Amino acid sequence: GEDSRSFHVSIQGTPPSITSAREIPIITAVAGGQLLLECPEGAEPHPEIEWHREGSLLQEDARREILARGRFLQLRAVAAADGGEYSCRATSAPGDTGPRVLVQVHG
């Protein structure tokens, strides 16, 4: 005879992730244009999310607006100085910043 069993295995916790520079998505923006970045935080309910550029907390101004409690970052009249690495993280999350994206400005 034959006997078979199936098992469902679920692993609790977050697997470690290794990020190298080449894995960071690159977004190309056109100088003078508009750019909308989305933070892919999946927490429910959505926590407050803060944005960082090159490791420094990003403040809103006439050209930079944080929308939907941090889910989106809108840049208007993009300039070369807006280029660099952007990251977002939930303010309730301990530790380092979350997902990152590299913005390159052309034109």
Side-chain angles (χ1 to χ4, degrees), residues 48-64:
E48 290 291 329
I49 294 169
E50 58 187 26
W51 283 86
H52 297 256
R53 182 184 165 276
E54 296 294 330
S56 298
L57 184 64
L58 200 65
Q59 301 293 335
E60 287 185 278
D61 58 27
R63 295 188 314 106
R64 297 184 289 205

Side-chain angles (χ1 to χ4, degrees), residues 16-36:
S17 60
I18 299 167
T19 304
S20 66
R22 67 180 178 273
E23 290 175 350
I24 298 175
I26 296 174
I27 292 180
T28 302
V30 177
Q34 184 171 289
L35 181 65
L36 187 67

Side-chain angles (χ1 to χ4, degrees), residues 61-92:
D61 58 27
R63 295 188 314 106
R64 297 184 289 205
E65 187 178 2
I66 294 170
L67 308 169
R69 296 177 66 189
R71 179 91 188 269
F72 299 97
L73 172 64
Q74 185 174 47
L75 302 175
R76 294 185 187 90
V78 175
D82 292 318
E85 186 179 285
Y86 287 77
S87 60
C88 60
R89 77 174 180 94
T91 54
S92 58

